[in-house]
Amino acid sequence: MTVNLETARRIIAAGEKKADEIGQPMNIAVVDAGGNLVAHVRQDGAWIGSIEISISKAWTSRAFDISTKDLGENSQPTQQFFGIHTTNAHGRGVAIFAGGVPLTSDGVVVGAVGVSGGLGEQDQAVAEAAAAAL
């Protein structure tokens, strides 16, 4: 399976629905298996500062095939990935907070979704709802 524009739009629509339900405008980004941006939406009222963060969360989740929430928990002092957020300084930044979720099909990571604009719990809930639309 490939994350094409049609698939990305379906994922984003599911994320927008969840964001509307919780009353928090979001930025939602979808990347393909190569970590390339396929689609992004900034809902009316979502922070412009969260545009790049949503894209970074999607890229990070695909680059490491892990949710950014889990990566964040494992990147704290004394944990195995401590300092990972300082890597890739010349490319896209590594996001270590909730809201990035890998997209899997038949056990294979085919892309990722990244969400930013609310509290971590809100970003994660919207990302999970969006990923479920795959």
Side-chain angles (χ1 to χ4, degrees):
M1 162 167 219
T2 302
V3 177
N4 58 22
L5 183 56
E6 179 183 350
T7 303
R9 285 179 173 159
R10 185 173 67 246
I11 292 165
I12 287 172
E16 287 183 289
K17 181 180 177 189
K18 182 66 173 180
D20 291 345
E21 286 173 9
I22 64 173
Q24 182 61 52
M26 296 286 188
N27 285 278
I28 305 168
V30 177
V31 299
D32 62 17
N36 303 297
L37 183 64
V38 177
H40 175 272
V41 68
R42 177 180 163 262
Q43 290 188 292
D44 292 342
W47 296 330
I48 60 171
S50 289
I51 294 170
E52 282 299 319
I53 295 170
S54 66
I55 296 168
S56 291
K57 286 180 181 183
W59 179 86
T60 299
S61 188
R62 173 55 189 112
F64 299 102
D65 296 342
I66 188 173
S67 75
T68 55
K69 179 179 184 273
D70 291 342
L71 185 61
E73 291 169 2
N74 282 289
S75 64
Q76 300 305 307
T78 75
Q79 298 301 309
Q80 61 182 337
F81 299 131
F82 179 66
I84 196 168
H85 64 284
T86 64
T87 64
N88 299 348
H90 298 292
R92 182 153 317 279
V94 175
I96 59 167
F97 38 99
V101 175
L103 299 171
T104 58
S105 176
D106 296 324
V108 176
V109 178
V110 296
V113 60
V115 176
S116 186
L119 301 173
E121 293 173 356
Q122 294 171 317
D123 291 358
Q124 188 69 25
V126 171
E128 289 174 2
L134 181 64

